[in-house]
Amino acid sequence: MNGWILAATVLLAGGAGTALWAVATGPLGRRVVGQNLATSAVCPSLLLLAQGYGRTSYVDLALLLALLGPVGTLVFARLLADDLADERPAAWGLTWTAAGVGAVVVLVVCAVTGPGRATVKLLVIGALLVGGNVVASRALSGGFRGVRGG
């Protein structure tokens, strides 16, 4: 086991374990926040595993997850808007922590990868991961001011 795989294991145990607990227990708001956290924990873990095992296909999977994970959260936020209206989930500390961890992982893997197309793909993954996480969390906590329904 190298350092990359160890870091991925720690991130998966902490982040995905917390997300699984949040999705499996508690009120609806916590469950949806847990679903959003799962993307934020698994995607950087896939990047670390790609580096640890030397498999670029994990990077493609991380790109797909970074794109579709926040979209799934936005779909849940839209479909469950009436049920979430009474008590809006607010997890800004968790959101910024997950976004920071994702950004750090992406930047470290970019530094190790070196310049090239792979680095551009990693930066796109980082932008999707951080931006999608923040937008999805904002949508869950009540939406955006001036937007219909917000």
Side-chain angles (χ1 to χ4, degrees), residues 15-16 19-20 23 33-43 65:
L20 182 64
V23 169
V33 168
Q35 185 270 334
N36 191 37
L37 175 64
T39 299
S40 302
V42 173
C43 189
L65 186 61

Side-chain angles (χ1 to χ4, degrees), residues 7-68:
T9 303
V10 169
L11 188 58
L12 275 174
T18 303
L20 182 64
W21 173 78
V23 169
T25 64
L28 181 64
R30 185 183 341 163
R31 291 173 189 243
V32 179
V33 168
Q35 185 270 334
N36 191 37
L37 175 64
T39 299
S40 302
V42 173
C43 189
S45 298
L46 285 170
L47 294 176
L48 292 169
L49 288 173
Q51 194 67 30
Y53 288 124
R55 299 192 179 204
T56 57
S57 59
Y58 292 172
V59 175
D60 295 336
L61 188 57
L63 176 62
L64 183 67
L65 186 61
L67 182 64
L68 294 179

Side-chain angles (χ1 to χ4, degrees), residues 13 35 50 60 72 92 100 107 109 111-112 119-120 124-125 127:
Q35 185 270 334
D60 295 336
W92 283 107
L107 291 176
V109 174
V112 171
T119 302
V120 173
V124 168
I125 291 170

Side-chain angles (χ1 to χ4, degrees), residues 60-135:
D60 295 336
L61 188 57
L63 176 62
L64 183 67
L65 186 61
L67 182 64
L68 294 179
V71 171
T73 303
L74 291 174
V75 168
F76 280 126
R78 177 69 176 147
L79 291 175
L80 301 172
D82 293 337
D83 297 331
L84 293 172
D86 294 335
E87 48 181 273
R88 291 282 181 189
W92 283 107
L94 188 61
T95 297
W96 288 110
T97 302
V101 167
V104 167
V105 168
V106 167
L107 291 176
V108 167
V109 174
C110 280
V112 171
T113 302
R117 287 189 311 189
T119 302
V120 173
K121 185 188 283 188
L122 289 169
L123 291 174
V124 168
I125 291 170
L128 286 171
L129 185 62
V130 172
N133 188 17
V134 170
V135 167

